[in-house]
Amino acid sequence: MKTSALDRFLRYVRFDTRSDEQSSTFPSTPGQVVLLRALAEELRALGLTDVLMDANSYIMATVAPTPGYERAPVIGFIAHVDTSPEMPGNDVRPIVHERYDGRDLVLPDDPSVVLRADDDPALAAQIGHDIVTASGLTLLGADDKAGVAEIMAAVEYFATKPDAVHGPIRIAFTPDEEVGRGANHFDVHRFGAVCAYTLDGGGRGELEYESFSADAITVTFRGFNTHPGYAKGRMVNAIRMAADFVAALPRTTMSPETTDGYEGYLHPYQVLPSVDRTSVKVLVRDFVTAELKSKEELVQHIAHEVVHRHPGGQVDFAVEESYRNMREVLERHPQVVEYARKAIRLAGMEPIERPIRGGTDGSRLSFMGLPTPNLFAGEHNFHSRLEWVSAQDMDKAVEVIVRLAGVWADDGRAGLPPITAT
Ligand SMILES: [Zn+2]
């Protein structure tokens, strides 16, 4: 099935939509609004009549159901327009390497940036496909403009194939996922779907419905500062307490550097130091929400022991919830994942299911009342100058959207008219 996903993708990546953690506006950067406006226009041009951009720049719109399927469950598809603040995202120059034959892909604007099949089994599996990369200076933005392009291509497919069977489909394009705010102002009620799927995953066939449960704990040590020349017996140095604390955290286990699969971790990632007061921010991650509590107790125990060795010192803790494992919600709605599996198989792939060692907007949305697993979009090496996507994977993702809409409209069966090639 050939779709417009590639053409759209090559256009969307040229918009600079890098989000910004430091920004206090929403969306965090104006570039995102420019792309969101353009997408709203494109949706209108495809015949969608209720396209709405709300005060926070979220775009929502409806693909009207096939006549006779008005009562089918309303389902949604969601992608984010922003790119990672960690990497330059301006002046992206996408390059299509046609019919990839396993050669080294040297990115011309910085020839030291080379994609090699030897280092990248997913790339080695793409022989014969058309691979899109950036030019060496920027990320590509397949995360998540591949997802945006796929959803748009599916909308176009539905607009041009009136015989394709589907119920009402809600579309949303969102800002600021990369800075963890993508679900902040998502109006689940107005979206009005029984479930949704983010298109923001990796290689073809991937289906993700488990994420970490995540908190951040800020450990603040308070000491006593005085002129260091006259500090004997008086100064209590909060920096020393924080250093002892970080050194005492588990490191050969329970750290990001030593865990994978279903293992959680504690990760000190930010220190704001001064003699008087030093805070250490620690990420707490586990697939079992109850385990967060025991990890946080461990952090507190270690911090109290440290303070005990520094008379006059004090410590306090602030725990902030980040997100929860979406599986806890999705288990109560098994057909959401089951239908996705079915759609992936109908598109000729075997689902590849693995836990996300992070969170997605879907983790938050699921707990806001919109069960939202994540489907592959074809993204590889995200947040990197070596980011790439294959045009054929993008077409496959479009096909999964089309199939999935069909499965929902057909009540979990798939006795639908076959998908016609465009
Ligand atoms: Zn993403």
Side-chain angles (χ1 to χ4, degrees):
M1 180 170 150
K2 179 93 182 83
T3 76
S4 64
L6 176 62
D7 290 344
R8 291 179 178 281
F9 177 71
L10 296 176
R11 275 195 288 117
Y12 302 154
V13 296
R14 293 173 185 276
F15 288 79
D16 178 1
T17 58
R18 186 178 183 180
S19 48
D20 177 4
E21 227 149 5
Q22 307 309 324
S23 166
S24 57
T25 63
F26 196 94
S28 64
T29 52
Q32 300 180 69
V33 181
V34 177
L35 176 54
L36 285 160
R37 281 214 182 96
L39 293 170
E41 274 319 303
E42 292 188 15
L43 287 168
R44 286 187 191 108
L46 287 169
L48 275 54
T49 56
D50 66 345
V51 182
L52 194 76
M53 183 177 206
D54 70 18
N56 294 304
S57 298
Y58 288 69
I59 304 257
M60 290 185 184
T62 310
V63 178
T66 319
Y69 289 87
E70 293 82 358
R71 301 178 74 88
V74 181
I75 63 166
F77 294 98
I78 302 171
H80 67 88
V81 298
D82 63 312
T83 61
S84 170
E86 293 165 33
M87 288 292 294
N90 56 309
D91 301 312
V92 171
R93 201 158 72 80
I95 301 172
V96 183
H97 308 265
E98 287 182 3
R99 286 179 298 279
Y100 178 61
D101 59 4
R103 63 192 179 271
D104 286 356
L105 299 178
V106 181
L107 305 191
D109 293 342
D110 181 349
S112 72
V113 183
V114 182
L115 258 176
R116 289 189 181 85
D118 284 350
D119 312 331
D120 192 338
L123 181 64
Q126 293 280 349
I127 302 293
H129 291 170
D130 304 318
I131 305 299
V132 189
T133 65
S135 61
L137 301 179
T138 64
L139 47 61
L140 174 62
D143 174 11
D144 183 24
K145 286 163 182 166
V148 173
E150 289 152 8
I151 292 171
M152 289 297 299
V155 171
E156 180 176 348
Y157 181 91
F158 291 130
T160 54
K161 296 275 186 278
D163 56 335
V165 168
H166 59 86
I169 298 169
R170 291 286 277 161
I171 302 299
F173 296 123
T174 61
D176 283 338
E177 191 267 359
E178 299 289 357
V179 292
R181 301 172 198 166
N184 284 17
H185 301 288
F186 192 103
D187 189 337
V188 168
H189 180 73
R190 199 176 68 210
F191 196 56
V194 298
C195 70
Y197 301 87
T198 47
L199 275 107
D200 195 14
R204 59 168 59 194
E206 282 185 20
L207 167 61
E208 297 171 315
Y209 51 88
E210 291 183 86
S211 60
F212 269 142
S213 284
D215 285 346
I217 179 164
T218 305
V219 183
T220 304
F221 295 95
R222 290 171 207 284
F224 177 73
N225 195 16
T226 182
H227 189 293
Y230 306 91
K232 187 172 180 182
R234 298 181 65 213
M235 178 186 279
V236 183
N237 190 338
I239 295 175
R240 291 195 192 280
M241 286 191 271
D244 288 355
F245 166 72
V246 172
L249 287 173
R251 57 175 70 189
T252 56
T253 60
M254 221 191 283
S255 64
E257 302 95 318
T258 59
T259 50
D260 60 10
Y262 281 100
E263 297 168 310
Y265 58 70
L266 290 171
H267 175 42
Y269 74 103
Q270 201 179 75
V271 180
L272 283 175
S274 77
V275 171
D276 198 50
R277 176 196 167 103
T278 295
S279 64
V280 182
K281 287 192 168 188
V282 182
L283 298 183
V284 187
R285 298 284 187 268
D286 205 285
F287 285 92
V288 180
T289 302
E291 287 297 313
L292 292 180
K293 193 98 193 102
S294 54
K295 286 191 163 62
E296 283 153 16
E297 282 165 7
L298 176 61
V299 166
Q300 296 182 358
H301 176 74
I302 291 169
H304 282 302
E305 289 225 305
V306 165
V307 167
H308 196 68
R309 299 201 299 271
H310 293 263
Q314 285 178 312
V315 63
D316 54 59
F317 308 93
V319 179
E320 211 183 317
E321 177 176 324
S322 304
Y323 51 83
R324 291 293 177 255
N325 186 345
M326 61 167 85
R327 182 180 185 149
E328 294 168 17
V329 173
L330 290 167
E331 271 174 349
R332 303 201 294 269
H333 307 277
Q335 74 276 35
V336 176
V337 169
E338 200 40 57
Y339 288 6
R341 285 191 188 108
K342 191 166 274 189
I344 290 170
R345 291 197 178 106
L346 285 168
M349 294 162 287
E350 195 45 39
I352 300 164
E353 301 174 15
R354 60 175 144 231
I356 311 169
R357 290 182 61 78
T360 66
D361 277 349
S363 313
R364 301 256 318 276
L365 292 172
S366 293
F367 284 88
M368 288 161 67
L370 183 68
T372 307
N374 188 35
L375 295 171
F376 73 93
E379 302 162 21
H380 294 278
N381 299 342
F382 20 83
H383 307 183
S384 159
R385 291 189 289 172
L386 289 174
E387 194 182 8
W388 62 271
V389 67
S390 114
Q392 285 75 10
D393 283 6
M394 284 197 281
D395 284 344
K396 274 293 176 197
V398 179
E399 187 177 347
V400 169
I401 295 173
V402 171
R403 296 284 191 179
L404 189 46
V407 170
W408 273 99
D410 197 32
D411 209 14
R413 294 177 298 270
L416 301 166
I419 290 176
T420 42
T422 45

